[in-house]
Amino acid sequence: MTRAPIPSSSPVAEIDLHNIASNWKALAKLGGSAETGAVVKANAYGLGAQKVSQHLYEAGCRTFFAAHIDEAIEVRKTVGSLALIFLFHGVQPDNVEAVIENDIVPVLNSLDQVQLWLKHNAPMPAALHVDTGMNRLGLQIKDLKQVQSTLPPNRIGWIMSHLACADTPNHPMNARQLELYKKVAAIWPHAEKSLSNTAGICLGSEYAFDLTRPGIGLYGGYARRDVFEPKNCVTITAPILSIIEPEPTIDASIGYGATYPVKPNQRLATIALGYADGALRALSNAGLVFIGGVPCPIVGRVSMDLITVDITNATSRTSVLDRVEFLGQHAHIDRQALAARTASYELLTSMGDRIKRVYYPSDGSGRE
Ligand SMILES: *Cc1c(COP(=O)(O)O)cnc(C)c1O
């Protein structure tokens, strides 16, 4: 594969669209007969909603999920008129016209949204999001009688709910939500059913229903060795700006707050990547980068534009402008997220605008 030149002095995210499509296919297989959509909210988890949607569309995906109206419209413009595009946040007085105009399927989350949708005689059916225990967004069970009496059943095309604990397979809440969801969905037998995100798909085929909604698994997060091992889709590298071997004086330390004492014979590299780029500050004295496959711990605090890493164990040939891997094949996204005591979702969506996104395969336009 020909690779575009990478600017030598800045952080770069190389995004592998082939692997995203291949993860989508793997999740489709796990979902059995269910149709497999793609969640591309938040700019496809920071990777670029246009590129990702376009590539997944070419791979056969025909259903996309966005959270905000602007995201939904961007996807519509990208994939054309044949795809289904759902809007998780549903209709509001100021977006309902745009929803109809762009042929977006709103996910109705409250009685107010049901009322608003009812007032607009839209040609397409809506999705109902019923809260089965997360107490976050969605119609409450006690609201459903009123929905039944106001919204004609032919205006409801999908019944949706969302799992709170799917990433903990043994959590009793999974089975509880599944049972309640089945009861709710039985009220509208003609409607299609959708319950599962990535982790839900991994719980087993009884969670897949008619339509699944994977996000993070498409992008290489949520590896579950027993069922699903996604391919790496994002490789973030950044160049070394300087290498030093500081004097290990008694009070020598590294970075803001002097949180890490310098050790004898320690070789330190300072990298052009900081929390403004998504190297979360919580990775201070906790994360790792890799140089030629060798783990190099982040030492001292992460600052806005820089991190310092201990390269004592890396090859002695390591020099200025060599690139280190912050996320990728070695610096696995789940592992880096764990080190920051967060989730892969936050790590991806924190990727700053300063990181240049380079796509493989490129679209051939030469604009990459
Ligand atoms: C974000 C989101 C998803 C995707 O979840 P992943 O864990 O990223 O697979 C699915 N459904 C809803 C309602 C969401 O908000």
Side-chain angles (χ1 to χ4, degrees):
M1 200 175 341
T2 52
R3 306 229 136 185
I6 288 182
S8 67
S9 57
S10 22
V12 167
E14 295 171 75
I15 294 163
D16 192 322
L17 297 168
H18 270 327
N19 283 358
I20 294 175
S22 140
N23 292 337
W24 180 75
K25 286 174 186 161
L27 287 161
K29 211 165 170 193
L30 274 179
S33 61
E35 187 187 335
T36 305
V39 178
V40 293
K41 63 190 179 190
N43 197 25
Y45 293 40
L47 305 194
Q50 280 186 17
K51 296 276 188 188
V52 168
S53 312
Q54 181 68 44
H55 198 80
L56 284 174
Y57 188 85
E58 282 160 18
C61 181
R62 290 293 177 273
T63 305
F64 297 85
F65 298 89
H68 288 258
I69 183 67
D70 291 350
E71 298 172 351
I73 292 171
E74 186 186 25
V75 178
R76 173 63 74 213
K77 285 188 178 137
T78 304
V79 300
S81 61
L82 297 179
L84 267 178
I85 300 170
F86 288 83
L87 180 59
F88 279 149
H89 286 189
V91 278
Q92 303 297 341
D94 67 355
N95 75 12
V96 63
E97 303 292 343
V99 164
I100 294 168
E101 201 174 304
N102 291 281
D103 194 20
I104 307 293
V105 178
V107 177
L108 305 178
N109 297 293
S110 65
L111 288 174
D112 284 346
Q113 293 194 352
V114 168
Q115 287 303 338
L116 180 63
W117 190 242
L118 197 57
K119 269 203 313 210
H120 289 79
N121 214 6
M124 65 287 210
L128 283 187
H129 178 189
V130 180
D131 185 340
T132 53
M134 201 168 177
N135 291 308
R136 187 180 65 165
L137 195 61
L139 289 147
Q140 300 292 299
I141 301 293
K142 62 176 160 47
D143 297 334
L144 298 184
K145 281 243 150 28
Q146 196 173 334
V147 176
Q148 276 181 278
S149 62
T150 50
L151 200 59
N154 65 0
R155 297 200 62 187
I156 301 168
W158 296 265
I159 305 293
M160 235 185 77
S161 192
H162 195 50
L163 296 164
C165 304
D167 59 358
T168 311
N170 295 325
H171 201 292
M173 188 135 173
N174 295 323
R176 247 187 295 157
Q177 284 194 273
L178 178 65
E179 287 319 305
L180 183 54
Y181 177 68
K182 282 183 190 161
K183 280 192 194 136
V184 166
I187 303 174
W188 291 278
H190 71 282
E192 288 194 25
K193 302 177 193 54
S194 176
L195 177 64
S196 283
N197 60 351
T198 304
I201 298 168
C202 294
L203 290 178
S205 54
E206 74 270 33
Y207 284 81
F209 294 96
D210 300 312
L211 172 65
T212 59
R213 312 187 302 267
I216 194 72
L218 302 174
Y219 309 118
Y222 196 67
R224 254 191 70 182
R225 227 168 247 151
D226 51 337
V227 250
F228 176 58
E229 192 115 44
K231 291 186 178 165
N232 179 63
C233 300
V234 194
T235 302
I236 297 180
T237 62
I240 296 176
L241 293 179
S242 88
I243 293 178
I244 55 170
E245 278 176 45
E247 285 294 318
T249 53
I250 194 85
D251 49 6
S253 61
I254 299 166
Y256 284 126
T259 62
Y260 189 99
V262 168
K263 293 178 185 150
N265 305 316
Q266 204 171 23
R267 230 174 148 225
L268 302 175
T270 294
I271 318 294
L273 189 80
Y275 58 74
D277 305 299
L280 303 176
R281 198 165 172 277
L283 291 167
S284 303
N285 293 312
L288 288 175
V289 302
F290 284 77
I291 299 177
V294 177
C296 300
I298 295 175
V299 287
R301 270 195 201 147
V302 173
S303 44
M304 190 183 291
D305 321 303
L306 299 167
I307 51 178
T308 298
V309 299
D310 181 342
I311 61 164
T312 313
N313 293 332
T315 164
S316 57
R317 291 188 308 277
T318 306
S319 61
V320 166
L321 291 186
D322 282 357
R323 300 190 75 84
V324 310
E325 181 187 300
F326 170 75
L327 265 195
Q329 207 65 48
H330 299 289
H332 193 278
I333 180 177
D334 290 342
R335 177 177 176 179
Q336 198 73 289
L338 196 66
R341 293 177 299 284
T342 183
S344 50
Y345 305 74
E346 193 182 24
L347 204 51
L348 285 185
T349 56
S350 299
M351 208 197 307
D353 294 340
R354 244 179 4 191
I355 298 193
K356 184 177 162 59
R357 274 76 160 163
V358 178
Y359 293 87
Y360 306 110
S362 73
D363 63 5
S365 68
R367 280 185 281 110
E368 295 291 350

